[in-house]
Amino acid sequence: MAFARRDGELHAEQVPLSAIAREVGTPCYVYSRAALTARFRAWRDAPAAQPKLICYAVKANSNLAVLDLLARLGAGFDIVSGGELQRVLAAGGAASRVVFSGVGKTPQEMAEALAAGIRCFNVESAAELEVLEEVAAERRRPAPVALRVNPDVDPATHPYIATGLRAHKFGIELEGAFDLYRRAAASPHLRVVGLACHIGSQITDLAPFLAALDRLLDLHDRLVAAGIPLRHLDLGGGLGVRYRDETPPEPGDYVRAVSQRVGARPVELLFEPGRSVVAGAGVFLTRVLYLKRTAERNFAIVDGAMNDLLRPALYDAWMAVEAVSDAPREADRYDVVGPVCESGDFLARDRLLALAPGDLLAVRDAGAYGFSMSSNYNSRGRAAEVLVDGDRYHLVRRRETFADLVRGETRLPE
Ligand code: LLP
C-alpha cells in the first residue's frame, strides 16, 4: 500500500505526510511513484493474445514528472490538445506512441501533431476529417487516422462524463462510419490505421465496454471485407476506481475479456486509461483553518478549495477524507469546505471526523482529475505537487505565486 497509516499517521511510502505539509505547505498534491508504477504495470503487463499499447490519458494528471515516469515505463499517450502534446514531448514521451483524441482539434494543432509524427489522429467528425486531409495535403505528409465512433451504449456513470450515447457530442455515428472510412481510404493524404471509441469515465462494470467492443468488431469485420484493413482497435479509457464502495474490474480482467472477444483478428489493442492509472496514486493535503458551528451544520473550513479540487463541486463526487494524524478527540460530523465564495465550494459533506484547527486532512484518490482540473479562481495560486519515491520526495511543481497569477496581464496605458 503506497498510502498507509503507521504509528498513528498517514504516510506516502516511507514519508509521513505531515513532514511534506510542513516543508511544502498546504494545499498540495502528493503522488506515490510506487503506486503509479504498480497501476501502470497492471495495464502494461496484463496478458493478451494481441500486441497492445497503453496510451495513458494525459488529461487525468499531466504533471511532467508523472508523464516522465510513465514514459520510462513504456507508456504511449492519449492527448486532446497541442498543449498536451508538448507536455508529452517535454517529458520524454515518444510521438510515435501518441494518439490524438478530441472533437475540436484546430488546424494548427493538427499540423503540429503531424510534424511531430504522432501514431494516430482519432477523428470525430466528417468535417474534421476534411480539415485533416487539407492539412496533410499542404504538408505533403499523409495523416494516420482512426475514426472514433459513437457505439451508442450507456456506460451507467455520471451524465457529465458519459460520452458514448447518441445524444453526446463525441464520435461518429456507427451508421455513417463505414462510408467515411471509404472516403478516408481513398484519399492519398490519409492513411487508415485504426478504429476507436471511448464511452465514458468511472465505469465500474465490464458490460458496457464489451457491448461497445461488439459494435466495433462488427464494423471492423465489414471494413476488412471491403478491403480496408485496420492495424489497431482503440477501446478508449474509462475503467473506474474505488472511491467509496465501488467494485471495478481490474485492468487485467478487462484486457483479458477484450482480448478473448477480438480473437484471431490481426490487430493491436490500444487502451487510453487515465483515472485507473493515477487516481489511487495521489492524495490532496489541506489544513483546517477554522471550525464553525451553526444551528444546522458543522463546517471544517480548510485551506484547499474547489479551485484546487473541483470534482466534489462539479460532479457531487464522493472522495474519502481522513485526518492525517490520529488525535484523541471526539468526532463530529462536518462539511469540509474551502475559502472560495460559493456554496458549491466543498470537498466533502457530512463526514465523521475528529478535528481541531491546524489539523491536516488528506483527500484520498485525488491523483486523477485533481490538479489537472484546478484553476486560479478567486486569485488563488495553484497548489504545489510532490512525488514521493521511497523515503525521499521531489517537489515536482512549486506553488504558484502572485507573479504567476498576473503573468501575461497588463494595466491600461496612461
Ligand atoms: N480517452 C478519451 C477520449 C477521453 O475523453 C478520456 C476521458 C479518457 C480516454 C480517459 O478516461 P479515464 O480512463 O480517465 O476514465 N473530469 C472527470 C473525468 C472526465 C473524463 C474525460 N475523458 C472526473 O473527474 O471524473
Side-chain angles (χ1 to χ4, degrees):
M1 285 291 279
F3 295 95
R5 296 192 86 83
R6 271 197 310 278
D7 311 321
E9 177 163 0
L10 190 60
H11 286 61
E13 302 188 26
Q14 299 344 303
V15 184
L17 289 174
S18 60
I20 296 176
R22 221 169 17 246
E23 283 172 45
V24 174
T26 52
C28 77
Y29 281 92
V30 179
Y31 311 125
S32 153
R33 178 176 187 160
L36 286 165
T37 303
R39 294 306 295 169
F40 183 75
R41 283 195 179 137
W43 278 99
R44 188 194 69 186
D45 300 341
Q50 302 78 12
K52 73 181 196 305
L53 178 63
I54 308 303
C55 295
Y56 166 69
V58 173
K59 64 169 79 71
N61 184 327
S62 50
N63 183 282
L64 290 184
V66 171
L67 301 182
D68 179 2
L69 173 61
L70 294 175
R72 291 188 209 191
L73 292 168
F77 296 93
D78 167 50
I79 60 164
V80 291
S81 69
E84 287 191 349
L85 175 60
Q86 292 191 34
R87 280 186 175 274
V88 167
L89 299 177
S96 60
R97 291 166 167 259
V98 166
V99 298
F100 193 169
S101 302
V103 292
K105 305 174 192 79
T106 65
Q108 175 74 23
E109 288 175 319
M110 290 173 179
E112 283 165 14
L114 194 62
I118 67 162
R119 161 91 189 239
C120 186
F121 290 87
N122 289 345
V123 172
E124 301 221 17
S125 64
E128 181 193 335
L129 190 71
E130 248 168 58
V131 172
L132 181 60
E133 186 178 15
E134 280 165 27
V135 170
E138 254 167 47
R139 316 268 147 164
R140 296 186 209 308
R141 184 162 180 169
V145 297
L147 298 190
R148 171 173 171 188
V149 297
N150 184 330
D152 193 29
V153 300
D154 185 354
T157 185
H158 189 285
Y160 284 12
I161 55 176
T163 50
L165 278 169
R166 214 187 276 264
H168 297 136
K169 68 178 176 183
F170 298 100
I172 293 165
E173 282 187 301
L174 269 176
E175 301 72 47
F178 186 84
D179 286 342
L180 208 53
Y181 265 109
R182 281 211 144 125
R183 270 185 47 200
S187 165
H189 308 297
L190 300 173
R191 245 179 335 105
V192 171
V193 295
L195 169 57
C197 79
H198 169 79
I199 58 171
S201 198
Q202 185 54 13
I203 299 168
T204 53
D205 176 14
L206 286 186
F209 288 117
L210 298 179
L213 175 60
D214 284 343
R215 294 181 183 188
L216 252 59
L217 289 176
D218 179 62
L219 178 58
H220 166 273
D221 295 350
R222 283 165 56 214
L223 289 167
V224 170
I228 305 176
L230 302 175
R231 272 177 46 195
H232 75 246
L233 289 180
D234 179 344
L235 278 296
L239 191 64
V241 301
R242 183 185 188 110
Y243 286 106
R244 188 174 198 173
D245 50 10
E246 303 91 332
T247 52
E250 283 298 309
D253 300 331
Y254 174 37
V255 169
R256 185 178 333 104
V258 169
S259 174
Q260 276 170 4
R261 286 209 189 194
V262 172
R265 296 173 181 88
V267 290
E268 183 175 3
L269 304 179
L270 267 55
F271 295 91
E272 302 170 358
R275 189 192 313 270
S276 65
V277 176
V278 290
V283 298
F284 176 66
L285 288 185
T286 182
R287 211 178 271 289
V288 177
L289 294 170
Y290 309 107
L291 297 180
K292 179 169 174 176
R293 292 175 196 282
T294 70
E296 288 272 315
R297 311 183 81 82
N298 301 323
F299 296 100
I301 301 167
V302 298
D303 62 3
M306 65 188 286
N307 75 295
D308 301 301
L309 179 57
L310 184 60
R311 302 192 68 256
L314 186 58
Y315 313 114
D316 205 12
W318 191 98
M319 301 176 75
V321 175
E322 64 188 275
V324 166
S325 306
D326 292 347
R329 292 197 193 101
E330 221 158 283
D332 219 331
R333 305 202 79 85
Y334 289 97
D335 285 6
V336 179
V337 302
V340 162
C341 305
E342 302 216 15
S343 296
D345 179 27
F346 61 90
L347 299 178
R349 288 196 285 199
D350 201 26
R351 302 295 173 85
L352 194 62
L353 292 161
L355 295 181
D359 282 0
L360 200 55
L361 295 179
V363 182
R364 301 292 292 263
D365 305 304
Y369 305 109
F371 186 90
S372 67
M373 292 178 78
S374 68
S375 77
N376 292 123
Y377 188 41
N378 277 209
S379 283
R380 292 167 52 86
R382 281 180 296 171
E385 292 176 285
V386 167
L387 186 101
V388 173
D389 184 5
D391 58 6
R392 298 180 309 158
Y393 66 85
H394 311 285
L395 180 66
V396 293
R397 193 182 212 277
R398 63 165 175 76
R399 184 177 311 286
E400 284 183 342
T401 61
F402 175 70
D404 294 321
L405 282 181
V406 295
R407 189 167 21 138
E409 293 183 38
T410 45
R411 293 180 60 191
L412 289 174
E414 279 305 312

